[in-house]
Amino acid sequence: MKQIECVIFDWAGTTVDYGCFAPVAAFIESFDAIGVPVSAAETRAYMGLTKIEEIRALFAIEHVGAAFKAKYGRDFNEEDVQGRYKDFQQILYNTLEQYADPLPGLVETVGKLRAKGIKIGSTTGYTRKMMDIVIPAAEKRGYKVDNCVTSDNLPGGRPNPYMIYQNMIDLAVPSVDYVVKCGDTIADIREGVNAKVKSVGIILGSNEMGLTLEETNALSAEELKQRMADVRRRMLDAGADAVLDSILDLPNYIEQLNEQLNKQA
């Protein structure tokens, strides 16, 4: 019987750090330090890329480049990019452990997947050094993966498929047909699409929603429905095979995939 053998999760906004706030805060602070502000919405638009690539993308925003030139009398260059990246990393290292709480229902969901023999892989826009903080902090809180791949020694990060393929190698998964990639950003969705695995978006707790758990719970039913619909549309437009309301919906979705795999057989 054919079945899904591996689920590859993103980290911040998918499994830990509800709303994906750790990197947002660090990007904003690092740009504020040079007097060239970026907004939370702008940082979220590029979330899921490697962090150095996101800094390049933020500098490339027209008003950001213009503000830098107005302040410093020249265009930004790679030295400026590296400077913000160095600052960003230091800010993040100081705060990452605070943002390692698993999303509601995650630990239980992973338990259900493991009971079905499913391996738990992961990819991330963080570097290995950053993950050396996040992984043990998450484990203390009950979430443990079988594998974590960063883009440090690969040809590139998201939306390239390399981190997914490295997970498949490390976990001995023989076919993309048996892999589900779950994430909370548009870059996550495109990573899954490019790897030719099932690419699944998760709405609640996501970077795309951009809300804390308290803010989410405070929304009216109608407002929550509208915001979730907006996120679902963006993820589907990016090529998602499915967009789930919550991580809690994943085991049932995988059961559906298993039924489809065996009908095809």
Side-chain angles (χ1 to χ4, degrees), residues 28-49:
I28 291 172
E29 187 174 337
S30 65
F31 274 82
D32 280 348
I34 58 169
V36 181
V38 295
S39 70
E42 285 165 341
T43 71
R44 290 188 182 281
Y46 300 102
M47 202 65 69
L49 302 178

Side-chain angles (χ1 to χ4, degrees), residues 144-155:
K144 185 173 183 178
V145 298
D146 297 316
N147 199 50
C148 178
V149 176
T150 67
S151 66
D152 296 45
N153 297 310
L154 297 175

Side-chain angles (χ1 to χ4, degrees), residues 9 109 180-184 189 199-206 209 228 231-232 235-236 240-254 256-257:
F9 287 110
T109 295
V180 173
K181 168 67 206 302
C182 287
D184 70 301
I189 301 301
S199 191
V200 177
I202 307 291
I203 299 176
L204 292 175
S206 70
M209 280 281 280
M228 291 179 69
V231 172
R232 179 172 278 106
M235 289 180 167
L236 290 172
D241 293 288
V243 180
L244 307 179
D245 289 353
S246 161
I247 201 86
L248 294 167
D249 300 323
L250 187 58
N252 284 340
Y253 173 70
I254 288 176
Q256 294 170 21
L257 289 180

Side-chain angles (χ1 to χ4, degrees), residues 17-194:
D17 186 7
Y18 193 105
C20 192
F21 281 91
V24 171
F27 281 125
I28 291 172
E29 187 174 337
S30 65
F31 274 82
D32 280 348
I34 58 169
V36 181
V38 295
S39 70
E42 285 165 341
T43 71
R44 290 188 182 281
Y46 300 102
M47 202 65 69
L49 302 178
T50 62
K51 302 316 174 193
I52 186 68
E53 288 303 327
E54 173 148 2
I55 286 172
R56 291 194 178 101
L58 290 170
F59 265 117
I61 296 171
E62 187 174 351
H63 82 82
V64 176
F68 183 93
K69 189 168 186 176
K71 188 170 181 66
Y72 296 98
R74 61 176 176 82
D75 291 329
F76 74 89
N77 57 34
E78 183 61 18
E79 187 177 342
D80 300 306
V81 170
Q82 293 297 333
R84 289 311 85 219
Y85 183 49
K86 183 178 180 181
D87 201 33
F88 165 84
Q89 290 179 89
Q90 193 53 57
I91 295 164
L92 199 65
Y93 293 143
N94 292 336
T95 59
L96 269 176
E97 192 163 356
Q98 303 166 29
Y99 291 94
D101 287 339
L103 267 63
L106 171 73
V107 174
E108 295 81 0
T109 295
V110 169
K112 289 179 180 179
L113 300 180
R114 289 195 188 282
K116 299 284 187 182
I118 293 173
K119 299 169 183 176
I120 306 299
S122 63
T123 69
T124 179
Y126 287 156
T127 63
R128 174 57 60 182
K129 190 174 177 183
M130 294 169 191
M131 291 312 300
D132 286 344
I133 299 172
V134 176
I135 290 172
E139 287 183 359
K140 288 177 188 173
R141 295 161 169 86
Y143 175 51
K144 185 173 183 178
V145 298
D146 297 316
N147 199 50
C148 178
V149 176
T150 67
S151 66
D152 296 45
N153 297 310
L154 297 175
R158 299 169 182 145
N160 295 301
Y162 309 122
M163 289 190 289
I164 289 176
Y165 293 152
Q166 189 63 56
N167 268 283
M168 292 178 63
I169 292 167
D170 294 344
L171 296 172
V173 180
S175 171
V176 293
D177 293 341
Y178 307 142
V179 177
V180 173
K181 168 67 206 302
C182 287
D184 70 301
T185 68
I186 300 307
D188 280 300
I189 301 301
R190 290 176 176 153
E191 177 189 33
V193 170
N194 288 336

